[in-house]
Every structure is written in C-alpha cells, then in structure tokens.
Amino acid sequence: MKYILYITLLFVGFTSCEKVIDLPLNEADQKVVIEAVTSDFVGDSYVLISITGTVYEQSVFEKINNAVVTVTDKNGVITIFSEDGTNTGKYVNAGFLVTENNNYLLSVQIGVDEYTSKYSTQTRAVLDFIYSEKIGHASFGGNAADSSNVVYFAFTDNVNETNYYRFKVFKNGDYTNELYLGDDKLINGEQFVNVFYGDEFDSGDTVLVEMQNIDKANYTYFYSMSNAQSDNPFSATPANPVSNIDGGALGYYGAYLKDTMNLIVP
C-alpha cells in the first residue's frame, strides 16, 4: 500500500536489510544479482553478489566468490573491494568514502563476464530537524485512551539540483522495513516538513532517521521493486525491478551521501 506524504514524496511498505536482496523474478533462467552500496560513512560500503534460482524454485541465492570488484572515481582512482573472509559473496573496502560532485564506475568481473554501473553524486543534503508527536487513535475507530507517537522530519532542498531522496527509519537499532522515497519536483529549493506515516513509536523508543541522496536510477529501482513485491491480488504479473547495472545482472549500485539524526521518544 502506498501513502502520499507530500505530492511527490511517497511511502511504500518494503522489506529489506543488508543481505542478498530477494527479487521476484519473472524469468526462468538464472541471473546474477548485485547489491552494491557505497556511502560517505566509514565502513558502510559493500558489494553483495549472488545468483538466483528459477522462478519455479525456492528463493535460494547462491553466493558468488572469487569475483573482481572495483570502483573507479572521476579522477581515475581505482578502489578494490576484497572478499570478506567470513561472509561468502560479500566484498568490502572499509576505507572507501563517497564524496560530493563525483562520478563512480562499479565493475564486477565474474569469470569472463563483466557487469558495470555508473553513478554521479551531487551535493550532500542534511536533515534540519526531527521530532516526535503523540497521536490518539479515537479518530480511527480505536480506543480514545490509546495513543502512540510518530516522528516528523525536515530538510531543505538544493534549488540548483534535481534531487531524489530515500529515508530509512530505525527503531531501537532495527530497521523498520518501510521504504520512503521522494523527489523535489514540487519542493525545489524549499524546506520540506512531514511525518513518517508508516511507523509508530512508544515512549522510550530510540529513533534514528537516515536520509540518503540518491539518483534517478536508484529512485526508479526502489519504486519498481516495491511494485514488484506488491501483495495486491489484482495487480499485473510483476516485472523485474529496473536495474541500473549493465551486462544483464539484476540489482543496483548506489553511491550515497547521507545524514542521520536520532531522538528518544519522551
């Protein structure tokens, strides 16, 4: 189900975590799946590589080792991501940091096959503030004595850029599994304030909000993946999410500029 937060900022329920992504395939042949996430936070960059089963099998992803994984920036600096010795199929470089106004080329070499993806960063947006507010449930047919808390957020969009955003909300250290996406078509250059409609909190909960600058290709990927995972029985047969990786692989590559804020719900 989708909730419009503010015209072009939307919320969709979406289950995800830092693991090999579970894709609803519409093809019977096996596909390489790449989940490549790099950011400007230390130790936050990784590449996960696996291969899927067929659409008629269980969603078992065989992890791929011995791949050659590199990221090259606009200055030609090549960074090697080495396989994590304790986690087959995961490739890391603890010192890699994404920077503003840079271009990145991901290359994944598996045997004779190469998969590539390009990503360009802009300037880093930051959260202006977050706060919680208690809400009652009487207006929704619930007990008037029942209440919970929601979290509001605010940021100011860069007027000189076309921007896309993703927000992740963590409750007591755990990702809430809700996907919030937005663009700046109707808020260009303005301060934007709204609420995370999909999450509610109790007094004493610790809330962390992570804001990511993403590109249009990542916005399209996550939006199309949410549609593919829809539980609507009347929806059309789902298509594969729109990947930004060339060479025939599924998945995505992102080079994110991020900001975080946290609070304890009173």
Side-chain angles (χ1 to χ4, degrees):
M1 185 173 185
K2 297 172 187 161
Y3 298 85
I4 303 300
L5 297 187
Y6 183 81
I7 311 299
T8 55
L9 185 70
L10 57 88
F11 153 70
V12 287
F14 178 63
T15 301
S16 176
C17 56
E18 306 305 334
K19 63 179 181 179
V20 177
I21 49 183
D22 187 7
L23 294 169
L25 302 180
N26 71 342
E27 297 181 19
D29 58 333
Q30 291 183 304
K31 292 285 188 179
V32 170
V33 181
I34 298 171
E35 179 182 359
V37 175
T38 56
S39 84
D40 56 346
F41 278 34
V42 174
D44 205 31
S45 299
Y46 64 89
V47 178
L48 299 176
I49 309 173
S50 62
I51 189 166
T52 69
T54 71
V55 70
Y56 303 108
E57 297 174 345
Q58 296 293 324
S59 297
V60 176
F61 289 74
E62 179 185 351
K63 298 176 182 179
I64 296 176
N65 59 5
N66 298 321
V68 178
V69 180
T70 62
V71 175
T72 305
D73 68 12
K74 67 179 182 181
N75 298 313
V77 177
I78 301 174
T79 301
I80 297 173
F81 280 64
S82 302
E83 189 168 1
D84 185 337
T86 61
N87 194 342
T88 302
K90 183 175 184 179
Y91 300 77
V92 295
N93 186 301
F96 183 82
L97 291 175
V98 171
T99 59
E100 294 181 321
N101 301 310
N102 209 331
N103 301 320
Y104 295 97
L105 172 65
L106 169 73
S107 172
V108 175
Q109 189 86 32
I110 303 172
V112 298
D113 298 319
E114 183 179 18
Y115 306 92
T116 62
S117 182
K118 295 179 180 179
Y119 194 106
S120 296
T121 60
Q122 300 187 106
T123 57
R124 180 174 176 264
V126 298
L127 290 160
D128 293 335
F129 56 83
I130 63 173
Y131 68 92
S132 64
E133 183 175 282
K134 187 177 294 292
I135 59 173
H137 296 288
S139 59
F140 300 99
N143 190 324
D146 293 338
S147 64
S148 59
N149 298 273
V150 293
V151 170
Y152 285 78
F153 65 99
F155 68 93
T156 302
D157 180 73
N158 188 328
V159 69
N160 298 313
E161 298 174 347
T162 299
N163 291 298
Y164 298 86
Y165 302 103
R166 180 189 180 194
F167 296 86
K168 298 177 73 175
V169 180
F170 297 82
K171 177 180 179 179
N172 298 323
D174 296 323
Y175 179 38
T176 64
N177 294 329
E178 307 295 358
L179 176 67
Y180 299 94
L181 295 174
D183 61 38
D184 65 353
K185 289 180 181 178
L186 296 178
I187 60 166
N188 188 42
E190 300 177 6
Q191 186 181 65
F192 175 76
V193 183
N194 216 300
V195 62
F196 294 115
Y197 283 111
D199 293 305
E200 294 184 1
F201 306 91
D202 297 319
S203 178
D205 283 343
T206 298
V207 182
L208 184 142
V209 175
E210 178 182 299
M211 176 182 181
Q212 301 176 352
N213 292 85
I214 65 176
D215 66 358
K216 184 177 181 179
N218 270 241
Y219 178 93
T220 301
Y221 173 83
F222 286 114
Y223 186 81
S224 64
M225 188 170 186
S226 71
N227 287 337
Q229 291 187 332
S230 171
D231 57 3
N232 181 358
F234 302 104
S235 61
T237 301
N240 293 334
V242 181
S243 176
N244 67 342
I245 299 175
D246 295 325
L250 301 175
Y252 68 99
Y253 169 52
Y256 305 139
L257 300 167
K258 304 197 302 186
D259 190 35
T260 61
M261 280 190 174
N262 60 72
L263 60 79
I264 298 177
V265 178

